Amino acid sequence: MDAPLYGLVLTGGRSTRMGQDKAALAYAGRTQLERAMALVSAHVDRAWVSVRPEQRADPVRAPFAQIVDTRPDIGPVAGILAAQQSQPQAAWLVLACDLPLLDEATLAHLVASRAKQAVATAYRSSRDGLPEPLCAIYEPRSHALLESYLQGGRNCPRKFLIETGAQLIDEPNPQALDNVNTPSEYGAASERLAGNHMPPKQLTVQYFALLREQAGRREEALESAAGTPRELYQELRQRYPFTLGSEVLRVAVNSEFADWSTQLRTGDTVVFIPPVAGG
Amino acid sequence: MAVVTFRFSHAPIEVERLRRMLADPGCGGFASFEGWVRNHNEGAEVRHLEYEAFEALAVREGERIIQEAITRFGVTRAACEHRLGDLSIGEVAVWVGASAPHRNEAFLAARYIIDEVKHRLPIWKKEHYVNGDSGWVNCERCATPAGEAPHSHPRG
């Protein structure tokens, strides 16, 4: 049985240079934490927010399932270790909370490139060629190695990935992992996202067979901010009691088979195709 | 000029008409396949069936399959018709035919078409059982109850 993939968004950082909590920064109307949780949730079975004990009741973090750090002052490794201790059988898709430009395609590519036999799978930075440890998948076997790394007095996750020979892959979008540490970087990213921010799309969704019965309708016109069929199905699963996971479905856009990460546009008609049984 | 046809029918399939459509003076062989509604599946007694399709996409993909069969096996004509709606035991659910100068190409093309149709076309079958239950074939077992990890599932 493969290890399940869970998501973890790290929010325990001190945001010292920013001067305010990076998880609470708003981009195009949503907090960075909301954006990160929505992105990661589309790719994992379950997702949590990693917090320090004193952050538990914080209004930005309180709406989400949380995993609390048990060891202070060792940086992001604390969050990863706490998550691994709580669910040792899982692999963890770990995300920093200061990547406002992170996009659907970058996460989808990471998940598709996951090397289960490696300690971890991470992006190779387009700037310096080194691993990006905070948009990466940590396999269950990395837990013991990370513990002994910490016992050895070290806590830099980037060096950990270098030394353990993590699988490194290239970024599909070189800006996606630019992090935001200062008010001026926040201003630039925020402007960029406001410019890119698409108004909600008008979409038509048609339902067939089991999905038609579970949705209680054949077709509907809806307004959605979903950028891709993957995000749209995630959104529809909140609304209808669909029993089929996206892994057994195919997608069609405008009556042709399409990829789960196709960019949706206003006017598109989307169909999710349950396992077929013709003949 | 090869004739390319894939279509759906809500009425009983007229096998004779389809067979005549594939007749060609240059053809010495004709092979057809009929899929029938049977009265049992995986241990359950079936009372009747219901077929549903995403027709816009299925017709396009069905035409592609027929074209592939013609190109791949060099048959002269090929066609497929699939029923939709409620079907009783013994009815023809799908008909496939191919005509060619010689029998081998016709057999191979008919086999190819039915296999691809079953795997690729967005068509779904709901079985209604004698005991009153019903279920969408290939969909009920791959459902993911909340909180459980999904398992992988071969398509088709």
Side-chain angles (χ1 to χ4, degrees), chain A residues 71-78 80-81 133-134 138 146-161:
Chain A
R71 287 174 277 202
D73 302 321
I74 56 169
V77 165
I80 302 173
L81 283 170
L134 303 185
Y138 292 78
L146 197 51
E147 279 288 0
S148 62
Y149 184 73
L150 192 67
Q151 299 303 314
R154 296 184 305 161
N155 61 12
C156 171
R158 177 169 285 131
K159 288 184 188 146
F160 173 75
L161 292 184

Side-chain angles (χ1 to χ4, degrees), chain A residues 18-209:
Chain A
M18 186 63 73
Q20 55 176 313
D21 180 12
K22 292 200 274 192
L25 293 177
Y27 297 89
R30 285 199 298 169
T31 67
Q32 174 55 32
L33 180 56
E34 287 172 317
R35 296 166 62 90
M37 284 298 282
L39 266 176
V40 75
S41 295
H43 294 279
V44 297
D45 298 322
R46 297 171 70 184
W48 284 263
V49 176
S50 164
V51 298
R52 282 181 276 122
E54 65 272 24
Q55 294 173 317
R56 297 182 68 163
D58 168 65
V60 172
R61 292 162 174 80
F64 300 104
Q66 300 177 345
I67 294 177
V68 183
D69 289 359
T70 51
R71 287 174 277 202
D73 302 321
I74 56 169
V77 165
I80 302 173
L81 283 170
Q84 290 177 325
Q85 268 154 9
S86 77
Q87 308 279 349
Q89 83 290 4
W92 288 91
L93 170 45
V94 174
L95 272 193
C97 203
D98 59 359
L99 303 173
L101 303 180
L102 182 66
D103 56 354
E104 163 69 19
T106 299
L107 270 192
H109 183 60
L110 175 65
V111 171
S113 309
R114 174 182 169 195
K116 294 176 185 168
Q117 79 290 352
V119 168
T121 305
Y123 279 113
R124 184 186 290 112
S125 165
S126 54
R127 297 181 194 286
D128 54 18
L130 297 176
E132 296 279 10
L134 303 185
C135 175
I137 296 174
Y138 292 78
E139 298 297 331
R141 56 193 289 257
S142 67
H143 184 198
L145 294 167
L146 197 51
E147 279 288 0
S148 62
Y149 184 73
L150 192 67
Q151 299 303 314
R154 296 184 305 161
N155 61 12
C156 171
R158 177 169 285 131
K159 288 184 188 146
F160 173 75
L161 292 184
I162 296 170
E163 290 175 23
T164 54
Q167 173 77 25
L168 298 187
I169 58 175
D170 290 318
E171 305 167 53
N173 166 9
Q175 272 112 46
L177 298 180
D178 288 355
N179 63 358
V180 164
N181 287 311
T182 63
S184 79
E185 285 169 355
Y186 167 53
S190 180
E191 246 169 61
R192 211 180 133 139
L193 287 166
N196 284 350
H197 181 57
M198 301 298 279
K201 299 168 199 61
Q202 316 294 322
L203 301 172
T204 301
V205 183
Q206 293 176 334
Y207 301 99
F208 291 96

Side-chain angles (χ1 to χ4, degrees), chain B residues 7 13 18 33 39 41 46 65 96 104 124 129 141 153 156:
Chain B
R7 64 186 290 264
I13 292 176
L18 289 167
F33 170 82
N39 66 0
N41 190 27
V46 175
I65 291 169
V96 173
N104 194 42
W124 302 277
Y129 305 106
R141 274 172 306 154
H153 185 278

